[in-house]
Amino acid sequence: MKQRIDPVIEEIHETRREIAQRFDYDVHRISEDARRRQCLEGRPLWQPKSANQAMHASGDGGRIQNS
C-alpha cells in the first residue's frame, strides 16, 4: 500500500529542517530565537509561578517501599 503524502505536513517538516539547520541543530539556540521573536512581536510569554520540581525527591521513581 502506497502511503499518501500530505503537502501541508511536508511543508511543516521542511520548515522544521530549515530552522534546525539555521541554528546548527542546537535546540537551545532555536528556543532562544523563538523567545526573542515573541518579545519583539509583543506576544505574551508564559512564565511559571515556580520552577519545575521532581515529584519524588528521593529519586526512587515513585515506587512504594515495604518496611
Side-chain angles (χ1 to χ4, degrees), residues 31-47:
S31 298
E32 181 58 37
D33 179 66
R35 278 190 293 275
R36 181 187 59 77
R37 287 183 292 109
Q38 285 177 322
C39 286
L40 288 174
E41 294 171 8
R43 295 183 183 181
L45 297 177
W46 178 76
Q47 306 253 336

Side-chain angles (χ1 to χ4, degrees), residues 3-65:
Q3 209 173 22
R4 193 180 94 135
I5 297 174
D6 184 329
V8 174
I9 299 298
E10 283 303 308
E11 184 179 351
I12 290 168
H13 287 301
E14 181 59 30
T15 300
R16 178 192 51 81
R17 285 189 288 268
E18 289 171 3
I19 291 169
Q21 186 176 25
R22 189 178 326 137
F23 293 98
D24 297 320
Y25 304 91
D26 183 335
V27 70
H28 298 290
R29 288 179 55 202
I30 294 168
S31 298
E32 181 58 37
D33 179 66
R35 278 190 293 275
R36 181 187 59 77
R37 287 183 292 109
Q38 285 177 322
C39 286
L40 288 174
E41 294 171 8
R43 295 183 183 181
L45 297 177
W46 178 76
Q47 306 253 336
K49 292 180 180 162
S50 63
N52 290 339
Q53 298 176 2
M55 292 182 71
H56 298 282
S58 65
D60 65 1
R63 293 184 294 271
I64 298 174
Q65 296 181 7

